[in-house]
Amino acid sequence: MNNGKEAFMQACTDAISTLDTSSTHYLFELKSGEQVYQAKSDHLSFYNEDGSSAKLIGMLTPAFIRSYHSDMHNHSNHTKNWVHQELENFLTTFNNMDYSF
């Protein structure tokens, strides 16, 4: 797993577990293929070295954090695995051009 994706997954898991809605979590992909994680309380853009916009491949907002936190209590025996799988599914759906939120 890419370091940026690992950081995104860990930070989102922590935010969901502790119900930390102070930031939106962003995962960007650069033209080089590198993935970069950032968290910020307001909108964030990230750029490639040539000044072009990096591709946003994941964004977990406070609303999603609250929703996942609420749902995780139904999976108390395997919370961490459930959250990890839900985040993987979220990233897949987020990057599916045929799906809209």
Side-chain angles (χ1 to χ4, degrees):
M1 192 181 319
N2 186 293
N3 286 340
K5 184 178 177 184
E6 287 177 25
F8 176 85
M9 297 290 283
Q10 185 60 53
C12 290
T13 298
D14 292 345
I16 291 166
S17 297
T18 63
L19 191 56
D20 179 358
T21 58
S22 62
S23 296
T24 295
H25 300 267
Y26 298 90
L27 183 60
F28 293 96
E29 186 171 75
L30 303 177
K31 285 182 177 180
S32 66
E34 178 185 0
Q35 294 178 346
V36 178
Y37 162 73
Q38 295 282 315
K40 195 166 182 180
S41 59
D42 53 355
H43 179 73
L44 177 68
S45 295
F46 205 83
Y47 300 93
N48 291 292
E49 287 183 16
D50 66 3
S52 63
S53 294
K55 181 180 178 184
L56 180 64
I57 60 171
M59 182 176 75
L60 193 72
T61 65
F64 279 108
I65 292 168
R66 281 190 290 277
S67 178
Y68 283 127
H69 180 81
S70 177
D71 289 347
M72 81 177 197
H73 297 293
N74 297 327
H75 305 276
S76 59
N77 292 339
H78 54 282
T79 301
K80 187 171 181 167
N81 290 336
W82 178 81
V83 169
H84 182 82
Q85 186 59 52
E86 288 298 307
L87 289 171
E88 287 285 353
N89 293 342
F90 176 80
L91 287 175
T92 299
T93 303
F94 190 89
N95 289 285
N96 181 343
M97 300 301 275
D98 294 329
Y99 189 86
S100 62
F101 288 94

